[in-house]
Amino acid sequence: MAADSRVSEITAPRVNLRKSSLFRQSLRRLLHNKLAVAGFAVVLFMFVLCFIGPFFSPYTDNKINMAMMNKAPNLQHWLGTDALGRDILTRVMQAGRISLTVGLASMVLSVFLGALLGAVAGYYGGLLDQIIMRIADLLMTIPSLPLLFIFGALLSEWKIKADYRMYIVMLMLSMVNWPGLARMVRGQMLSLREREFMQAAVVLGLRDRRKLFGHLLPNIVPLLIVMATLNIGGAILSESVLSFFGLGVMPPTPTWGNMIDAANNILDFQERPWLWIPPGLSIFATVIAINIFGDGLRDVLDPKQKR
Amino acid sequence: MEPLMNIDRLSTVFFTEDGKVTAVDEVSFSIREGETVCIVGESGCGKSVTAMSIMGLVEEPGGKISGGSIDFRGEDLLRLDKNTLRSIRGNEIAMIFQEPMSSLNPVMRIGEQIMEPLLVHLRMNKKQARARAIELITQVGISRPEQIMGSYPHELSGGMLQRIMIAIAISCGPKLLIADEPTTALDVTIQAQILDLLRGFKENSGMSILLITHDLGVVAEMADYVIVMYSGQIVEEGGVVELFQNPKHPYTRGLLKSKPVMGQRLEELYSIPGQVPSPLALEPSCYFHDRCGHCMDVCRTRQPQLQETGSGQKVACWLYEEAEVYV
């Protein structure tokens, strides 16, 4: 069946559509935000430093060297050595690997859980919504820090092997982080569900799975990206707090948090600042850079949320 | 000819804070194959809700279809299970909406959205679906289809998007196309093009169209059969020629009178006085009685039934029932 000859053709706009793709537009806008670019540069630097840096260090074996105990920064050991003669710079880099990995992994897991549960709750509503959101509420009523402390203490009590603790810490952090995300995703779903294009999708006879994951979720991807970015910073911070109190990842596996533990010793605190300033500065720089970058991303991807 | 769809005493209610609202009140009509049926009436008279009820878009807890049946090719749509209904929607019955700008998913490319029903209902593979989608875009009169396939809805104009909606709707060769005010959001020149397009497809494929509109110009151009709704009920129905030449119900007459005539200058365009009564406070009466110039005592206390008149029209008005009684 051909279109009726009376129908005149209309021409597509004569712009190069490829150039105006959403991704490129967002990228261009993001590049205009100097602060966000700087934030991203710092984050990138920390990742490169931690994941590639150790390959250039001669001290990666972490050998205990009594002759080199508690040395101040010098030419061999740029950031000095700790009480066991280990190189601080190398340990900061190795700790960064753990801290950044924990931050990233727990972010991925909590975004996955939050998006999935929030989407399902918002889309289906009813009993399923009630169950999911009441669990989320329950997790949100308990302040997350004490909850994490209890979990951490339990881990120590059950004598979980130090190697596994890192993975369990990731899980713990996701458990306290997904409810907030789920709530936000659910709210978005509730409003998107009523939009006309979703009625059109119903009328097309699509399956729920297709409507949910093909039509609805892509609409909240910008929000998810922003939330995910901001989430990494929070996760790194929480992991550091836990490890600082000896409830997260345990030494000898270094993390930024358990390295700052050195500041607990009054002598180290007063006399040997090279033990705790580098990891502290790393946490500070990374988290603040991630947050600044996340804010910039939000301005670009989610203009409605602009303050 | 055997009717394609037979709607029998369909009632749809909505639950509001102030109480139950009957938006569609025992509406019956049928659509024959290859026929264009128009539902006309002013805002809030239940036209769109009728269409939504047919498509199963009225969902609890907001509202529900409280009675009647929608018979489509021997099956009652209201009693089908979810899967069967899904295989009919978009496949045998398609729908286009009033606002083309908001009826397409803003984050999906046009191509994906046209291919979707082809993949789901006709089980095409990606390559076939793509080829067919390009063909469809060409059929609805848009040039450079490849480029359109890759663009997002915000990059196209309203007229083009409505063409895309039509392409999606006809993609699976539906038996019935429901068009809910398809031209209301478009400007007049585009309106004519869209209507031409719909008519062209109808003539070529023999599908039926249920067209919902408040524009009598559109009705005159498209309809075979016209249904006039008022306050959730059918007040008059009949073939398009009879209805325009010899409107019976005072409401239909009012509607026709309030249409500007080309070349005729008037001080003021006629409008029917008053408003549609609130659906919350309806009492047994002709719902049009307080706006009607021919209101009689009986109109205030009893509801007229839809009656056949001599010329194949049906009308629900005491004027004609009384006439029959006296003659």
Side-chain angles (χ1 to χ4, degrees):
Chain A
M1 54 180 172
D4 200 302
S5 58
R6 280 171 299 178
V7 177
S8 55
E9 292 231 324
I10 46 175
T11 341
R14 292 231 170 259
V15 287
N16 191 342
L17 293 175
R18 197 149 285 295
K19 265 198 185 133
S20 69
S21 87
L22 213 63
F23 175 74
R24 291 203 178 206
Q25 269 182 32
S26 308
L27 191 67
R28 208 171 34 231
R29 291 225 300 274
L30 188 64
L31 288 176
H32 274 294
N33 187 341
K34 296 265 161 23
L35 209 60
V37 173
F40 182 69
V42 172
V43 175
L44 197 67
F45 171 76
M46 291 310 292
F47 269 89
V48 170
L49 180 79
C50 296
F51 285 90
I52 299 177
F55 291 117
F56 297 97
S57 161
Y59 307 109
T60 45
D61 52 358
N62 275 322
K63 217 166 38 198
I64 295 170
N65 184 350
M66 289 306 180
M68 294 298 287
M69 264 171 55
N70 288 333
K71 287 280 185 281
N74 54 50
L75 277 180
Q76 277 82 46
H77 299 279
W78 292 353
L79 293 176
T81 60
D82 66 4
L84 297 173
R86 295 173 297 190
D87 181 53
I88 294 285
L89 178 60
T90 310
R91 275 183 72 77
V92 164
M93 294 191 290
Q94 289 173 331
R97 280 185 179 181
I98 306 287
S99 293
L100 292 173
T101 310
V102 169
L104 271 178
S106 79
M107 172 277 282
V108 169
L109 196 61
S110 50
V111 166
F112 175 77
L113 276 177
L116 187 72
L117 293 174
V120 166
Y123 182 74
Y124 288 103
L127 189 65
L128 200 62
D129 180 28
Q130 287 294 321
I131 294 172
I132 292 173
M133 290 329 285
R134 292 302 80 78
I135 294 174
D137 284 344
L138 196 71
L139 282 168
M140 284 177 96
T141 50
I142 310 169
S144 58
L145 217 50
L147 188 65
L148 287 173
F149 278 10
I150 294 168
F151 277 139
L154 278 178
L155 289 186
S156 303
E157 182 67 27
W158 292 336
K159 306 215 166 28
I160 305 285
K161 270 213 266 169
D163 305 351
Y164 292 131
R165 282 196 78 130
M166 181 177 136
Y167 302 106
I168 294 173
V169 168
M170 288 174 191
L171 268 176
M172 278 159 49
L173 294 177
S174 323
M175 279 329 264
V176 296
N177 274 334
W178 74 262
L181 266 157
R183 252 194 194 175
M184 189 152 327
V185 170
R186 173 178 175 269
Q188 293 280 316
M189 282 290 163
L190 286 179
S191 80
L192 281 173
R193 194 179 63 173
E194 302 302 325
R195 295 270 294 275
E196 213 167 313
F197 65 81
M198 284 317 294
Q199 287 206 336
V202 174
V203 165
L204 277 184
L206 302 181
R207 286 173 188 283
D208 282 355
R209 189 154 34 104
R210 205 167 182 123
K211 281 185 278 189
L212 194 51
F213 298 108
H215 284 249
L216 286 172
L217 269 185
N219 274 288
I220 55 163
V221 162
L223 176 84
L224 283 183
I225 293 175
V226 172
M227 292 306 294
T229 314
L230 293 172
N231 210 295
I232 300 177
I236 290 175
L237 219 52
S238 304
E239 182 274 325
S240 301
V241 170
L242 274 183
S243 300
F244 174 76
F245 285 108
L247 294 167
V249 181
M250 293 295 212
T253 313
T255 75
W256 288 336
N258 66 30
M259 285 180 78
I260 305 183
D261 193 28
N264 264 343
N265 182 325
I266 189 72
L267 207 67
D268 284 342
F269 182 69
Q270 285 173 339
E271 307 286 329
R272 296 188 270 275
W274 63 86
L275 288 181
W276 51 269
I277 286 181
L281 217 54
S282 302
I283 295 173
F284 174 73
T286 309
V287 173
I288 208 166
I290 287 175
N291 285 345
I292 287 172
F293 177 60
D295 267 346
L297 261 186
R298 181 176 54 202
D299 290 349
V300 170
L301 291 177
D302 203 5
K304 274 174 271 175
Q305 293 226 339
K306 214 179 224 169
R307 287 148 300 169
Chain B
M1 218 192 304
E2 185 68 3
L4 179 70
M5 178 175 272
N6 205 343
I7 293 169
D8 187 35
R9 294 195 305 275
L10 177 74
S11 296
T12 304
V13 295
F14 288 104
F15 305 105
T16 67
E17 280 175 13
D18 302 320
K20 198 168 81 171
V21 169
T22 307
V24 176
D25 188 5
E26 303 217 333
V27 163
S28 307
F29 62 94
S30 55
I31 304 169
R32 277 186 283 274
E33 264 173 56
E35 188 183 43
T36 302
V37 174
C38 277
I39 302 183
V40 240
E42 61 197 299
S43 307
C45 68
K47 320 181 288 270
S48 291
V49 178
T50 306
M52 283 166 68
S53 305
I54 296 172
M55 278 320 243
L57 287 175
V58 179
E59 277 173 33
E60 288 188 73
K64 72 169 193 192
I65 294 170
S66 57
S69 65
I70 302 171
D71 199 53
F72 179 70
R73 302 172 99 188
E75 283 179 297
D76 185 357
L77 291 184
L78 299 179
R79 276 166 193 78
L80 287 181
D81 63 279
K82 228 176 141 191
N83 285 326
T84 324
L85 196 60
R86 196 164 53 212
S87 67
I88 290 177
R89 284 173 178 166
N91 192 11
E92 292 181 67
I93 307 178
M95 183 167 179
I96 49 182
F97 292 88
Q98 192 178 118
E99 287 275 348
M101 282 84 158
S102 53
S103 304
L104 287 159
N105 195 327
V107 298
M108 284 173 80
R109 291 178 197 274
I110 301 286
E112 294 173 54
Q113 305 197 43
I114 301 183
M115 282 159 67
E116 205 153 36
L118 298 171
L119 298 170
V120 172
H121 294 301
L122 302 185
R123 310 265 158 123
M124 287 189 180
N125 61 33
K126 280 250 159 114
K127 213 174 141 195
Q128 291 172 317
R130 204 187 144 73
R132 179 86 182 103
I134 289 176
E135 210 176 290
L136 283 164
I137 298 178
T138 319
Q139 277 176 16
V140 293
I142 302 177
S143 61
R144 295 190 291 149
E146 280 90 358
Q147 203 176 353
I148 298 296
M149 290 282 286
S151 46
Y152 288 95
H154 73 268
E155 293 167 322
L156 305 185
S157 68
M160 288 174 89
L161 290 176
Q162 196 61 295
R163 285 167 190 252
I164 298 292
M165 287 306 293
I166 292 174
I168 295 174
I170 62 164
S171 62
C172 297
K175 288 272 172 284
L176 173 66
L177 177 70
I178 299 177
D180 187 358
E181 309 216 16
T183 56
T184 306
L186 307 173
D187 57 54
V188 187
T189 51
I190 309 290
Q191 272 187 22
Q193 294 176 3
I194 295 290
L195 292 177
D196 277 348
L197 199 60
L198 283 176
R199 199 160 38 201
F201 283 122
K202 190 199 124 186
E203 277 161 17
N204 283 316
S205 68
M207 68 180 175
S208 313
I209 298 180
L210 177 62
L211 185 69
I212 288 159
T213 182
H214 60 251
D215 186 340
L216 288 165
V218 172
V219 176
E221 206 175 323
M222 299 287 292
D224 298 318
Y225 196 78
V226 186
I227 293 166
V228 183
M229 279 185 81
Y230 186 77
S231 208
Q233 295 180 324
I234 297 179
V235 292
E236 182 165 7
E237 59 176 274
V240 63
V241 180
E242 295 88 59
L243 200 99
F244 271 74
Q245 278 177 353
N246 188 12
K248 293 252 162 64
H249 198 281
Y251 178 62
T252 318
R253 286 189 203 161
L255 280 182
L256 287 168
K257 231 166 110 185
S258 52
K259 189 175 171 300
V261 179
M262 192 94 88
Q264 189 181 351
R265 257 179 197 281
L266 295 172
E267 277 296 307
E268 200 178 341
L269 190 61
Y270 175 79
S271 67
I272 305 174
Q275 279 164 358
V276 185
S278 160
L280 278 166
L282 290 177
E283 277 161 20
S285 63
C286 172
Y287 297 155
F288 189 60
H289 74 90
D290 52 348
R291 301 174 72 185
C292 184
H294 307 278
C295 183
M296 301 175 291
D297 287 340
V298 63
C299 301
R300 288 181 233 277
T301 51
R302 282 176 60 199
Q303 204 165 35
Q305 295 301 312
L306 205 58
Q307 298 275 330
E308 199 126 358
T309 65
S311 51
Q313 268 160 280
K314 287 183 188 171
V315 63
C317 181
W318 288 116
L319 283 175
Y320 301 94
E321 295 206 12
E322 297 232 315
E324 270 169 22
V325 171
Y326 291 129
V327 167

